[in-house]
Amino acid sequence: MNIMGHLQQLGRSLMLPTIVLPGAAVFLSLSALPWSAMGLPTMQVHLHTAGEALFSFLPYLFAFGVAMGMTSNAAAAGLAALAGMFIYTGIINASHYELEPTVFTGVIIGVVTSIFNERFKSIKFPEYIQFFGGPRFVPLAVSFFSAIWAIVMVRLAPSLHEGLMALGDIVSSGGGFGVFLFGFVLRILVVFGLHHLVSHVFWFQVGGYELDNGSVLFGDLPRFFAGDPTAGAFMAGLYPTMMFALPAIAFAIIHEAREDLKPKIRKTFMIAALSSFLTGVTEPIEFAFLFVAPYLFVVHALLSGLVMWFTYELGILHGFSFSAGAIDFLINEHLATKGWLLIPIGIVFGLVYYFLFRWAIRRFRIPTPGREEGSQLDEWAGDIPYRAPLILQAIGGKENIMQMEACITRLRLKVANDRLVDNNALKHLGAAGVIRLGGGIVQIVFGTYSELIREEMDKAIRRDISRVLFSSPLQGRMIPLTEVPDPIFAGKLVGDGVAFMPDKGELVSPVHGKVIHVYPSMHAIGIRTPEGLDVLLHIGIDTSQLKGKGFQAIVQEGDQVKPGQLLITFDLQYIRKEGKSLATPMVITNSDRVHSWSFAPFKSVKRGQASVMSVVLKERSGGGDLA
C-alpha cells in the first residue's frame, strides 16, 4: 500500500475510539443535574466518574482502535496493543516522574502493533517452540517494544513534558490566524478522508491542563471536558458551519433544482440537512457540490476557517464529543463560554451561505443534484442488501477488492485495478462521489450507510451462490418492466427483467454469453449466458412490422459477446415515428432458473454501465450449454 493508503487507513482508525466519547459527554452532562434535590446526592459523583473514566482510558482505547483499524480487525493485534499499553503504563507509574500515558502514546503503540502484526503474523519457528510463532508472536513483540519505549520515555520525561506544554503555547500564540488555518485545512482534507489526522493533533495532543490530582491532560477535547477554561477554541467555530452553513447549502440545492425533480431532491437533502444540523455529519452535502464545483469547495473551506477565527476573537469556547451538531451543542453547553453566541452567528452565517450558493449555482450553471444528470444522493430505504451485489460489480467484482473498510461516511478500498471501478454505476447506485487517490486507493462516499453497505458486501462476497450481473444494454432511462406499453412484456409472459427508454440508437450486450438468435427483422436478439440464462433484448414495441428497416445487426448467431460489445444499431427517430414505443425490454425468458432479483434505481443510465440488474440462480445440477 502507498503512503496515501497508509494515511487513509490511519485516519479511519483514529475515528474508531472516538465513538465512545458521546457516552462520556452524556454522563458528564447528566452529572450537572440537581441530583441532591432529587434525593440522590451520590448520583452526581457516579455519573461524573463514569464520564471521566472514558477520558482517562482514552490512550488504551486509541491503542486498541488503531491496532484493530490498521489490521482489518485482527483480534490478536487488538489484544497485543492493550498488553503493550499495560506494560508501558506499569513502567512509567513505577518511575519517580509524574507521567501519564497520552493519546499519542496509544496511537504509537497501535501503529507499531499493526506493523508487527503484518510482519510477524505468519512467522515460523522450529517445531519445539512454534507455540510462540504466528499471531502469538505479535503480543510478545509488542510487549518488548512497549517495555523498551517506556524505559526511554522515563529518561526523556522532563523534556517531553515541557515540550508538549511549549507546543500548546506556540499554537496558542498563533491566535485567530492559527484557528483559521486549522479550520481551512480541516475542510480541505475532508476531500481525501484525511481530516482526522490534523484534527487528532489539535483535539487530543496540543496544550496541557493539570488536574487537581496532579495528572495532566493534553488536547483541546479532553481539556474542555475536564473544565479547562481555555479549551474549546479549536471546536467552537465548527458549530456555525455544521449546524447552519451546510444545511443552508442543502436548502440552496433544493431551491435551485428543476421543478420535476424538486420533490425527490427536497426529501433527500432535507434528511442530509437534518443530519448535519443534529450530528455534524457533513459529507453528503459537501460531496454534492465538491466534484461539480471544486472552486466552490475552496470558498467553503475559507469561509469555514474565517468563522472559526471570528468566534475565537469573540472569546467563544465550546466543545463536542463526536461532532459539532445540535445534540453536542445542547449536551455540552453548560461547559461552554459564551456558547449561546454561536446561534446568532450561525444564523447569519447560514444566510450568507444560502444566498452565496444560490447565486453561484445559477450564475455558473453548476450541475448540482436536481439540475442536471450528475452525482445524486438517493434514498436507500432498506434495500441495501439488494444493492450491495450491484455495488460490488461496479467496483470490479470481489476479485478486484484487495482491502475494504468503512468509516462513518465512506467506503475505503484498495483495489487491484482502479480502472475497473465504474463511477457512473456507483453514482447511479447512490454514491455522492468517488475519490481516486492513486495506487489502487479508492474512496466511495455513501454517507452514513457506508458501514451497512460494507457489511452487506462482505456477506455477498462470502456467499457461495451463483449470481449473474447485468450491465445496461443502451443509453437512456431504465424503467420497470411493468411500465412497458405492451401487455405481453408488462405481464411478464415472455419473462422477467427490466426495460429501457433509449436516447441513442446503439444496443450492446449486457452480459458475457453467446448469441443464440438474431431475428430476421433485427429488432431483437437472444443471448445465452455461461450459467444457462436466456436473455432477450427487444428494441421497441411492435417493431417486427418494420421488417428490418432502420436496424443493422453487427453480430451474428454463434458469436461470443461480452458486456458493452455493440450488437445492433438502429435509427432512433425512424422507430419513434413508425413503432408503437421505444421501450426496450431486457428479459430472462427462462426466469424459472432465477431464485431472486435485484434492480438498480430506475433512472438514467449510460450504455454499458455496470450494475443495473443482478439475479441469483436456483441451485440445480448441470448448467448452461454454449456449444
Side-chain angles (χ1 to χ4, degrees), residues 52 117 186 242 538 578 582:
E52 283 192 336
N117 183 76
L186 187 69
M242 297 183 178
H538 193 285
E578 300 295 333
L582 284 172

Side-chain angles (χ1 to χ4, degrees), residues 163-232:
L164 283 172
M165 300 293 284
L167 179 61
D169 294 337
I170 292 172
V171 171
S172 298
S173 68
F177 180 75
V179 176
F180 158 77
L181 198 60
F182 167 76
F184 173 74
V185 172
L186 187 69
R187 295 261 61 82
I188 290 296
L189 289 181
V190 166
V191 178
F192 307 100
L194 302 177
H195 48 301
H196 305 307
L197 298 180
V198 66
S199 65
H200 176 272
V201 173
F202 287 87
W203 292 344
F204 293 103
Q205 297 177 37
V206 170
Y209 177 63
E210 187 171 344
L211 301 177
D212 294 338
N213 61 9
S215 61
V216 179
L217 292 177
F218 292 97
D220 208 38
L221 193 152
R223 290 191 294 116
F224 174 80
F225 284 99
D228 185 351
T230 65

Side-chain angles (χ1 to χ4, degrees), residues 59 62 101-110 149 153 164 200 204-205:
F62 270 89
T102 65
V103 168
F104 179 72
T105 305
V107 172
I108 291 297
I109 288 182
W149 191 36
M153 289 294 289
L164 283 172
H200 176 272
F204 293 103
Q205 297 177 37

Side-chain angles (χ1 to χ4, degrees), residues 476-514:
R477 183 167 57 90
M478 181 174 160
I479 62 174
L481 195 61
T482 53
E483 293 184 9
V484 174
D486 179 85
I488 303 298
F489 282 111
K492 303 181 181 179
L493 301 180
V494 178
D496 203 351
V498 294
F500 303 84
M501 294 297 294
D503 55 31
K504 191 173 183 181
E506 293 179 336
L507 182 77
V508 301
S509 177
V511 290
H512 288 281
K514 175 184 177 181

Side-chain angles (χ1 to χ4, degrees), residues 174-184 233-234 236-238 302-316 345:
F177 180 75
V179 176
F180 158 77
L181 198 60
F182 167 76
F184 173 74
F234 291 96
L238 291 173
L302 287 168
L303 288 174
S304 182
L306 285 172
V307 78
M308 291 196 71
W309 190 346
F310 184 63
T311 57
Y312 174 85
E313 295 296 340
L314 290 178
I316 301 172
I345 292 171

